[in-house]
Amino acid sequence: MSFSRMHADPRVLRQMAFLEKLGFDIVLSGLEYEGNLPFFPLTKAKSPFFRALKLGIMVARLSKLRVKEFLLHSSLKELNSYQPKFDLILANDAETWPLAIELKKNHPKAKVIFDAHEQYAKEFSDMILWKWFHKRFVNYVCRHYIPKADKFLTVCDGIAKDYAADYDVKPYLILNTPEYEEGLYPREVGDTIQIIHHGIANRSRKIEKMIQMMDFLDSRFVLKLMLVPTDPAYFGELKTLAKGKAIEFLPPVPTQEISSFINAFDLGLFILEPVNFNYANALPNKFFEFIQGRLAIAIGPSPEMEKIVVEEKNGIVTETFEEQEMAAKLNALTKEEIWEMKENSHRVAKKYSNAQNEEVLREILIDLRLLTERPVAQTALT
């Protein structure tokens, strides 16, 4: 289960591929899915409640009632009518957790795994309306449902520690690392240094800072932006702001092709101001795709990303999130230094690939008695 477009959700796609590889038959329930697996829409998209849920209009004192309404409009009935009994319910995103626990009532032998892609009770803590209408509801879901899961996953150390402190749960760590790209090697650094940033056009990410940075860079650098226009108005503002600068907008490529596509560039760029808890603890897909693409990395002082860049010597980290400082650091780089960083990303590409996650998931499934064979290499669980 996932409160997402499942065919475009990298973390969910990796879970699906791994479980298929192990021989599981998979049934999906999410917002959208384009593919060949059995799929049940998570909820009736035209219901007033669904629109309210998407807007985050939740009154804290009605949290329990809202969960009941969600289950009423959910795919529960259709999933329960599915003929085989489920052995495993893997629920991504807090919105699916109540449904997973309710579904288990009709599948009592099923094990339940929750996967938290964010710290949901602090997800949009920079937005006043979210704090008023949604925070207490998500906190209710976390407090009420997390103890009912057999296993709990999340994406980085900072978020894992916060869940442990707030909800007395011991999370397993599954990084947002993509598949290992065996055939990729660093591309030679030319006289024009190619910078790439990819992701969604989300206003809270302040992508305009990376555009404004180009005013301070020397003529060696060009910036390519590969953005999914989830906020069309904001996307249009970015295109207007980029006019006259050494910036090109590229059409998005499928999720599974990102690492190989960005291999043609030199530097992966991400300046993410810590405007909320999850941004302060971000360790996103794109960071690991930069590594898989064998790129040098340029980031602000985001601690989860910084730890890896400093340890692996595969990029630069600024002391602030100011675009002028990032430009100064980039201007000071030589072609030789960029090449060395790219080679270091190449050196650690296998280390930061999905193979490590699969070992953790395999151990979890063995512990839940859903697999009987032990992997050759034992992996310590976080």
Side-chain angles (χ1 to χ4, degrees), residues 81-209:
S81 68
Y82 195 74
Q83 293 305 311
K85 290 291 183 184
F86 295 122
D87 302 292
L88 171 65
I89 303 168
L90 178 48
N92 291 264
D93 311 309
E95 289 88 348
T96 70
W97 298 347
L99 178 58
I101 296 303
E102 195 67 23
L103 182 62
K104 181 179 168 66
K105 292 179 181 178
N106 203 43
H107 302 264
K109 293 184 179 180
K111 302 298 183 181
V112 176
I113 299 176
F114 287 171
D115 191 357
H117 300 202
E118 310 278 356
Q119 212 302 20
Y120 294 109
K122 301 177 182 178
E123 188 169 10
F124 297 110
S125 54
D126 54 315
M127 299 168 59
I128 293 175
L129 287 177
W130 183 88
K131 287 195 285 188
W132 284 353
F133 292 118
H134 202 57
K135 178 178 179 177
R136 289 186 181 181
F137 170 77
V138 184
N139 189 46
Y140 167 82
V141 170
C142 290
R143 286 198 181 283
H144 189 72
Y145 288 98
I146 286 176
K148 299 183 180 184
D150 294 292
K151 300 290 182 182
F152 187 80
L153 318 176
T154 194
V155 294
C156 70
D157 283 328
I159 290 176
K161 290 174 182 174
D162 202 71
Y163 270 116
D166 286 359
Y167 304 107
D168 194 27
V169 63
K170 185 179 179 182
Y172 291 76
L173 190 61
I174 300 289
L175 300 178
N176 280 318
T177 47
E179 299 298 330
Y180 176 60
E181 297 282 350
E182 190 159 0
L184 293 185
Y185 298 89
R187 298 284 186 96
E188 183 179 350
V189 183
D191 293 329
T192 299
I193 298 169
Q194 306 267 352
I195 305 173
I196 180 75
H197 171 82
H198 66 279
I200 62 172
N202 185 323
R203 195 176 294 274
S204 65
R205 295 187 179 183
K206 300 186 178 181
I207 296 168
E208 61 270 15
K209 292 179 74 73

Side-chain angles (χ1 to χ4, degrees), residues 21-41:
K21 188 164 61 176
L22 292 177
F24 284 84
D25 295 321
I26 299 175
V27 177
L28 304 177
S29 184
L31 299 187
E32 294 178 33
Y33 172 64
E34 297 174 6
N36 299 319
L37 293 173
F39 174 71
F40 296 90

Side-chain angles (χ1 to χ4, degrees), residues 157-328:
D157 283 328
I159 290 176
K161 290 174 182 174
D162 202 71
Y163 270 116
D166 286 359
Y167 304 107
D168 194 27
V169 63
K170 185 179 179 182
Y172 291 76
L173 190 61
I174 300 289
L175 300 178
N176 280 318
T177 47
E179 299 298 330
Y180 176 60
E181 297 282 350
E182 190 159 0
L184 293 185
Y185 298 89
R187 298 284 186 96
E188 183 179 350
V189 183
D191 293 329
T192 299
I193 298 169
Q194 306 267 352
I195 305 173
I196 180 75
H197 171 82
H198 66 279
I200 62 172
N202 185 323
R203 195 176 294 274
S204 65
R205 295 187 179 183
K206 300 186 178 181
I207 296 168
E208 61 270 15
K209 292 179 74 73
M210 291 179 274
I211 292 176
Q212 291 160 348
M213 178 197 71
M214 297 304 293
D215 292 335
F216 306 98
L217 281 181
D218 64 46
S219 59
R220 294 181 298 160
F221 294 92
V222 297
L223 173 62
K224 305 295 176 70
L225 294 172
M226 187 167 71
L227 303 175
V228 179
T230 50
D231 182 340
Y234 179 56
F235 183 66
E237 292 170 22
L238 294 177
K239 296 194 85 168
T240 299
L241 186 63
K243 286 181 180 177
K245 305 182 195 298
I247 297 174
E248 181 183 355
F249 286 79
L250 305 175
V253 300
T255 299
Q256 299 92 326
E257 298 175 17
I258 290 175
S259 297
S260 58
F261 179 81
I262 65 175
N263 177 247
F265 302 95
D266 298 305
L267 279 152
L269 173 69
F270 197 22
I271 304 174
L272 183 66
E273 285 194 7
V275 297
N276 57 47
F277 178 86
N278 287 308
Y279 282 12
N281 291 275
L283 190 57
N285 290 286
K286 67 170 62 57
F287 176 80
F288 295 110
E289 287 158 353
F290 291 160
I291 293 177
Q292 262 340 287
R294 278 54 167 188
L295 304 185
I297 295 173
I299 58 168
S302 301
E304 296 286 340
M305 292 186 271
E306 181 178 7
K307 282 188 291 189
I308 295 174
V309 170
V310 170
E311 180 180 347
E312 307 301 353
K313 298 179 173 60
N314 64 338
I316 60 170
V317 183
T318 51
E319 293 183 7
T320 71
F321 292 93
E322 295 305 312
E323 57 267 34
Q324 295 96 326
E325 187 194 350
M326 178 62 77

